[in-house]
Amino acid sequence: KQARLFVSGQNKWLLMAEEKCLQNGECMRNSYLNNIIYTLIYAAPATLIAIVLHEYAHAVVSYLCGDKNVKSSGRLSLNPFKHLDPLGTLCLLIFHMGWAKPVMVNTASYKHKKLDFCLVALAGPLMNFIIAFISLIGMYFTARYTGTGSVSGYFYYLFYYISMINVGLGVFNLIPIPPLDGSNVLFSLLPVHIEREIRRYSRYFPLFLLILIWFGSFNNILSYVDSGIINWMWRIVLKIFGYPAVVGTV
């Protein structure tokens, strides 16, 4: 099951909706055809939003730091085909952990190479967290002010998956293993000679990362972190917009 979002008694009205979402997901997974439908209408749009805006954020910040190559290479774009990595996208759809085609940056154009490189690396995960927060706001207003029809229900569940996948992508990319963004943050903090020594073995890290994903080495800790971040965001949403009345019981 997906991580539980709403755990307090004040959130019962949303907890019921989430339970229905989880139950629907389980029912849909009972058949191959329904699983494809589930992927197409929920997971695929959420994944596309997460990946494209993640890489676009890298490109924008690199461009603002003085790197004009990201524009000439076509990465300063919202075109999904400029950013998608087939294997990384597949892993994100299946495991909720994955990656996109990395933005090739020209650090020689940066005025403050270490700082700017760190900011570029953090831009992608930060964008994912912003999208997740906005999605939770959308889920809040969808549940509070719309009816229970199929259209409003679709958008509620879509917002749910957008928030989950974006937090998952943001957290996963902060792991300090190449080629993930966390490794670039780490490299920006390390002395140059240590960074060069680690980069000598960089071609082995993607395979090592795939093995860890395949055996579920990150599952428990990332699920815990993802749930903590989403619940923290949700509490902020409730503080900003208020606690709605509880509807029904669970």
Side-chain angles (χ1 to χ4, degrees):
K1 287 187 176 182
Q2 301 292 338
R4 296 292 293 274
L5 289 184
F6 317 111
V7 295
S8 71
Q10 292 168 304
N11 305 329
K12 287 184 178 181
W13 66 294
L14 285 172
L15 180 57
M16 288 189 297
E18 186 199 70
E19 287 292 348
K20 291 180 180 178
C21 179
L22 296 176
Q23 290 167 8
N24 288 344
E26 289 172 354
C27 292
M28 296 181 87
R29 292 184 181 91
N30 288 336
S31 72
Y32 178 75
L33 178 61
N34 283 337
N35 191 42
I36 293 177
I37 295 173
Y38 152 81
T39 300
L40 289 175
I41 65 175
Y42 293 124
T47 299
L48 193 65
I49 291 170
I51 289 178
V52 171
L53 293 182
H54 177 104
E55 295 303 324
Y56 180 71
H58 284 313
V60 168
V61 174
S62 186
Y63 182 80
L64 293 176
C65 289
D67 178 15
K68 307 305 179 185
N69 288 350
V70 292
K71 186 174 183 179
S72 60
S73 63
R75 300 307 300 273
L76 201 64
S77 169
L78 292 174
N79 182 354
F81 296 104
K82 298 288 186 179
H83 304 293
L84 295 180
D85 178 274
L87 183 58
T89 303
L90 184 63
C91 287
L92 190 59
L93 283 169
I94 297 174
F95 303 109
H96 289 182
M97 295 180 288
W99 59 91
K101 189 187 302 180
V103 175
M104 304 305 295
V105 299
N106 180 18
T107 58
S109 303
Y110 297 161
K111 293 181 180 179
H112 311 285
K113 287 184 173 60
K114 288 285 188 179
L115 175 61
D116 291 347
F117 190 50
C118 182
L119 293 176
V120 171
L122 288 173
L126 180 60
M127 173 62 81
N128 289 130
F129 296 141
I130 292 173
I131 296 169
F133 184 73
I134 294 173
S135 298
L136 289 176
I137 294 175
M139 190 166 64
Y140 174 92
F141 282 103
T142 300
R144 182 168 185 173
Y145 294 113
T146 63
T148 58
S150 58
V151 175
S152 60
Y154 168 76
F155 281 106
Y156 177 84
Y157 301 148
L158 180 61
F159 283 133
Y160 172 83
Y161 281 102
I162 291 174
S163 63
M164 288 295 300
I165 288 177
N166 271 277
V167 168
L169 182 64
V171 171
F172 179 71
N173 270 275
L174 288 176
I175 297 174
I177 299 177
L180 301 179
D181 296 326
S183 66
N184 292 327
V185 175
L186 178 63
F187 289 150
S188 69
L189 301 175
L190 292 175
V192 176
H193 67 282
I194 297 179
E195 176 189 347
R196 288 175 179 171
E197 189 66 23
I198 296 175
R199 285 188 183 277
R200 286 177 55 193
Y201 305 97
S202 60
R203 64 181 180 274
Y204 302 112
F205 285 112
L207 178 60
F208 174 66
L209 189 62
L210 283 175
I211 293 173
L212 291 177
I213 292 174
W214 179 260
F215 287 102
S217 304
F218 296 123
N219 287 358
N220 290 335
I221 186 168
L222 289 185
S223 178
Y224 178 80
V225 174
D226 292 351
S227 297
I229 291 174
I230 290 180
N231 277 293
W232 175 71
M233 288 181 177
W234 180 246
R235 286 194 293 269
I236 294 177
V237 171
L238 293 181
K239 286 182 179 179
I240 294 174
F241 299 106
Y243 291 87
V246 175
V247 178
T249 59
V250 293

